[in-house]
Amino acid sequence: MLTGVDLSVGARETLAVLGKSGAGKSVLLKLIIGLQKPDSGTIQIHGQPTSDLAQDQMDAIRITVGYLFQEGALYDSLSVEENVGYKLYEESRMPEAEADRRVQEVLGFVGLEEYMDRMPSELSGGQRRRVAIARAMAAKPGILLYDEATTGLDPITAMTVDEEMIKLRDLEGVTSIIVTHQLRDAFFVATHEAVRQNSHVEFTPADAQKADEAEFIMLKDGVVCFEGNAKELRAAPDPYIRQFLS
């Protein structure tokens, strides 16, 4: 249960939601996307209150929001191409040829275009997460929700997922809400930026102003116990936060 949570995320901004297991991080995402209803208070997406919307109205809102589930949640019986294009093929009116082009585009964006015909069982853990990111961005959402995107991955593989999140924010203008208990990944996304150099993308440390744009909140027993940027989080004196950071 969440109590007294009051936050906002602007266009192209990043919000990292931290906390131990059971703190309410995933519940927050489910409330945002409408998988759960709040007992009180309001949730707005693009300025539109969503708590009392009819199902078809909420479905229209969800088209603008991508969701990366824990562990990726790919369909094991579908190929990479079919997984990534599922929403386009099954839930949109996009012509098939256009959907095919979009699938190729997003798989190219995450560096997996040559894996279109493979099955999820033929992919590594990091490749599966990147396919899940491609699926989440296929419908060109303005907002992406990441639920423990790097959990269970080794540090090197997790870094490739972090870089995809940075690319989406900086090159595609996506608003990001990142739920994680992996501090290394949250800090990396907050303090780096993606820059396109000719035909490739470079990741560089962000300047102070850019780094300050990323907000952090920490949940403890369903209550926000910290809100601020990365620098402020590192300096927070609260014993709970110090323990979490150690």
Side-chain angles (χ1 to χ4, degrees), residues 23-229:
K25 304 186 303 298
S26 295
V27 171
L28 178 61
L29 291 188
K30 291 176 182 177
L31 287 167
I32 292 171
I33 200 65
L35 297 178
Q36 292 186 17
K37 296 288 187 181
D39 295 324
S40 62
T42 61
I43 297 169
Q44 295 186 19
I45 298 178
H46 307 306
Q48 170 72 53
T50 62
S51 301
D52 297 321
L53 292 181
Q55 186 62 48
D56 60 336
Q57 294 172 308
M58 193 65 216
D59 288 342
I61 291 287
R62 288 194 183 110
I63 292 174
T64 70
V65 182
Y67 196 133
L68 180 65
F69 294 90
Q70 289 188 24
E71 307 297 332
L74 299 181
Y75 297 113
D76 290 335
S77 61
L78 301 182
S79 69
V80 166
E81 178 182 15
E82 292 166 333
N83 264 286
V84 172
Y86 185 85
K87 181 179 285 189
L88 304 182
Y89 298 134
E90 302 295 332
E91 301 176 9
S92 78
R93 298 180 180 178
M94 184 179 291
E96 185 173 350
E98 185 178 345
D100 289 343
R101 288 193 295 272
R102 178 59 180 166
V103 170
Q104 292 178 2
E105 180 184 3
V106 295
L107 282 172
F109 186 85
V110 299
L112 293 174
E113 187 174 0
E114 69 273 22
Y115 290 77
M116 288 181 62
D117 297 326
R118 296 198 185 184
M119 302 301 289
S121 60
E122 300 176 282
L123 305 177
S124 68
Q127 289 168 340
R128 289 171 66 94
R129 300 293 171 87
R130 286 154 64 194
V131 169
I133 290 174
R135 181 178 64 183
M137 64 180 285
K140 298 185 178 180
I143 302 169
L144 270 174
L145 311 180
Y146 301 92
D147 194 356
E148 300 287 4
T150 59
T151 295
L153 301 179
D154 64 82
I156 294 176
T157 303
M159 186 74 71
T160 66
V161 176
D162 295 339
E163 290 175 345
E164 298 302 334
M165 290 191 275
I166 295 170
K167 282 167 57 180
L168 284 167
R169 179 194 66 204
D170 295 343
L171 304 182
E172 298 291 312
V174 171
T175 300
S176 307
I177 300 179
I178 303 170
V179 158
T180 185
H181 64 271
Q182 303 287 343
L183 282 170
R184 176 196 62 238
D185 300 312
F187 281 133
F188 185 83
V189 172
T191 60
H192 287 74
E193 62 182 328
V195 180
R196 197 181 298 278
Q197 298 284 357
N198 298 321
S199 60
H200 67 283
V201 176
E202 292 187 358
F203 299 92
T204 62
D207 60 33
Q209 181 178 352
K210 176 76 172 179
D212 285 348
E213 292 176 359
E215 286 288 311
F216 289 75
I217 68 168
M218 183 169 290
L219 293 172
K220 177 183 179 183
D221 299 328
V223 177
V224 175
C225 65
F226 172 85
E227 185 172 1
N229 59 35

